[in-house]
């Protein structure tokens, strides 16, 4: 598994070669949502579309909460790759898959109260909620497959193989779209057909991912160790990393839910305008996530090899790509933001309202870019407590700022949200600079205080 150290010229190329499949695979995600909406939106009753929207929202939040299975597996695997420990790489996959299976089974066993509580919090109409409950009880059956796919994607990314991410997501979404059309248009099913299409697609992706895993395992030395897979104490490092990632994700979920709820109390028009503007953030994240994921894999390997020169070059290269992307996004929003709003909504009042708050979108990419970048760096270095702490620090500014600026209406809410992102980026940057001086450097050389 050994490979030569990255040279200064090779590092940007390596970042890009890892990032572009992730960026492209991210772009396929909204395509599936558009097809779901188009298929169900042409049924004769709008309650089916409402049901799918409620159910899909519930599972977006539920599964996002377990995204640590992808992130934690990436960080630990990339470090094992750096140490050239094939046995550790192999056993990390086994541990992550067993953990995914256990959590997935628990979600199915607890599905009734989870679905009831989640849909109650989403507060849809009675008819839509009844249909969404049926949808959710089908969708929850794929929980083990979804979580196992997270672990598989993280494992491959930790080995600097991001093209697997693209292959699996293209397959998943392709099968899902084809089955949507077959079940709903061809067989006359409704929201239940959309749910079954997703479940089958998730297990199809798991089967494909399992085949890819079996091929990769054939290239690795070592073997699965019973004491690593069957002894609970052997999971200590994985639990430590994943527990902090879980808490960090809960903090992010709270920040997003709070923003949505505070926008909702200002009326449907403001809520819709904020939803449109949040799509600007999602568009930016598709690219920034690609460079962050690339940084995870490369910095993790550098940490495992104790190659801090390689570590610094990886961070610098990812930072240059990320900053260029954020700058381009800000310029695009400044010059073409009103056109993009018009593409996302045809309602004049929502367009006008969203345009009022467009300047916040121009500033947002240049603030959030450092949070995305250093999330990737800290995942690669498995410095997860720092990521968790940055969320807490951001919330201590977010909530008081919102409270003090309520008189500004939605501008105050966006100011608070921007403050949350700014503090999170600043805290992660400060942690990074501190660790580069004290931990993440070659003790035989002068400590580095920059990227």
């Amino acid at each position: 598994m050994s490979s030569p150290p990255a040279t200064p010229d090779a590092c940007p190329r390596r970042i890009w070669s890892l990032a572009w499949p992730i960026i492209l695979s991210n772009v396929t995600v909204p395509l599936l949502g558009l097809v779901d909406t188009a298929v169900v939106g042409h049924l004769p009753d709008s309650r089916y579309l409402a049901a799918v929207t409620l159910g899909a929202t519930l599972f977006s939040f539920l599964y996002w909460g377990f995204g640590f299975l992808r992130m934690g597996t990436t960080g630990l695997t990339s470090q094992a790759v750096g140490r050239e420990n094939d046995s550790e790489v192999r056993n990390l996959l086994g541990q992550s898959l067993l953990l995914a299976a256990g959590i997935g089974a628990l979600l199915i066993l607890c599905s009734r109260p989870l679905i009831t509580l989640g849909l109650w919090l989403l507060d849809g109409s009675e008819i839509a909620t009844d249909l969404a409950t049926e949808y959710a009880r089908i969708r929850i059956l794929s929980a083990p497959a979804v979580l196992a796919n997270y672990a598989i994607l993280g494992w491959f990314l930790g080995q600097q193989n991001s093209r697997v991410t693209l292959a699996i997501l293209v397959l998943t979404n392709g099968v899902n779209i084809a089955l949507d059309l077959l079940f709903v248009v061809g067989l006359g099913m409704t929201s239940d057909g959309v749910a079954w299409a997703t479940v089958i697609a998730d297990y199809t992706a798991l089967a494909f991912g399992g085949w890819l895993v079996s091929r990769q395992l054939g290239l690795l030395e070592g073997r699965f160790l019973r004491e690593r897979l069957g002894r609970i104490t052997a999971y200590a490092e994985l639990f430590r990393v994943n527990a902090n990632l879980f808490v960090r994700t809960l903090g992010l979920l709270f920040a997003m839910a709070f923003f949505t709820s505070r926008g909702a109390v200002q009326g449907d028009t403001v809520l819709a305008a904020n939803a449109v503007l949040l799509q600007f953030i999602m568009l930016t994240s598709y690219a920034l996530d690609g460079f962050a994921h690339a940084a995870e894999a490369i910095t993790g390997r550098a940490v495992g090899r104790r190659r801090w020169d390689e570590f610094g070059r990886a961070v610098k290269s990812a930072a240059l790509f990320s900053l260029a992307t954020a700058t381009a996004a800000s310029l695009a929003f400044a010059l073409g933001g009103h056109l993009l709003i018009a593409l996302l909504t045809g309602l004049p009042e929502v367009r006008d309202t969203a345009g009022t708050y467009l300047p916040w979108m121009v500033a947002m990419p240049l603030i959030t870019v450092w949070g995305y970048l250093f999330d990737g760096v800290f995942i690669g270095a498995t410095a997860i407590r720092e990521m968790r702490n940055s969320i807490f620090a951001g919330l201590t500014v977010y909530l008081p700022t919102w409270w003090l600026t309520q008189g500004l209406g939605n501008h105050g809410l966006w100011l608070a949200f921007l403050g949350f992102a700014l503090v999170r980026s600043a805290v992660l940057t400060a942690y990074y600079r501190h660790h580069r001086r004290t931990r993440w450097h070659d003790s035989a050389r002068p400590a580095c205080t920059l990227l």
Side-chain angles (χ1 to χ4, degrees), residues 7 200 218 263 292 375 379 425:
T7 64
I200 295 171
D375 269 355
I379 288 171
S425 292

Side-chain angles (χ1 to χ4, degrees), residues 228-296:
R228 287 295 310 278
L229 302 180
R231 187 162 46 87
I232 193 67
T233 54
Y235 288 73
E237 181 67 6
L238 195 61
F239 285 152
R240 179 192 67 81
V241 169
N242 287 342
N244 281 312
L245 282 170
F246 183 61
V247 172
R248 169 253 187 197
T249 301
L250 288 180
L252 276 176
L253 285 171
F254 171 79
M256 296 300 299
F258 183 85
F259 181 87
T260 300
S261 68
R262 293 306 89 195
V265 300
Q266 298 179 64
D268 290 344
T269 300
V270 169
L271 176 62
N274 284 349
V276 168
L277 293 175
L278 285 174
Q279 295 306 307
F280 285 51
I281 297 176
M282 292 300 298
L283 287 171
T284 308
S285 75
Y286 293 150
L288 295 180
D289 268 345
F291 300 121
H293 291 351
E296 290 176 30

Side-chain angles (χ1 to χ4, degrees), residues 130-206:
D130 288 342
L131 287 170
T133 299
E134 179 188 17
Y135 171 95
R137 287 177 179 170
I138 297 170
R139 274 287 303 270
I140 197 69
L141 297 175
S142 68
V146 171
L147 301 186
N149 287 331
Y150 285 172
I152 289 171
L153 292 174
W155 188 69
F156 275 107
L157 183 57
Q159 297 172 80
Q160 300 192 22
N161 187 343
S162 60
R163 298 191 183 193
V164 166
T165 300
L166 177 60
I168 289 178
L169 285 179
V170 167
L171 175 68
T172 306
N173 293 334
V175 170
N176 205 334
I177 289 170
L179 292 178
D180 270 350
L181 295 172
L182 173 63
F183 291 160
V184 179
V185 178
L187 300 180
M189 299 173 73
T190 59
S191 49
D192 59 330
V194 175
W196 280 115
T198 303
V199 170
I200 295 171
D202 288 334
Y203 279 102
T204 301
L206 178 59

Side-chain angles (χ1 to χ4, degrees), residues 200-219:
I200 295 171
D202 288 334
Y203 279 102
T204 301
L206 178 59
F208 178 58
W211 176 71
L212 293 174
V213 164
S214 67
R215 291 180 58 194
Q216 184 66 15
L217 289 174
L219 303 176

Side-chain angles (χ1 to χ4, degrees), residues 6 73-74 100 102 155 176 178 188 199 244-245 264 267 312 358 361 369 427 431 435:
T73 304
T74 297
W155 188 69
N176 205 334
V199 170
N244 281 312
L245 282 170
L358 183 59
M361 293 302 95
V369 57
V427 169
Y431 269 129
H435 290 342

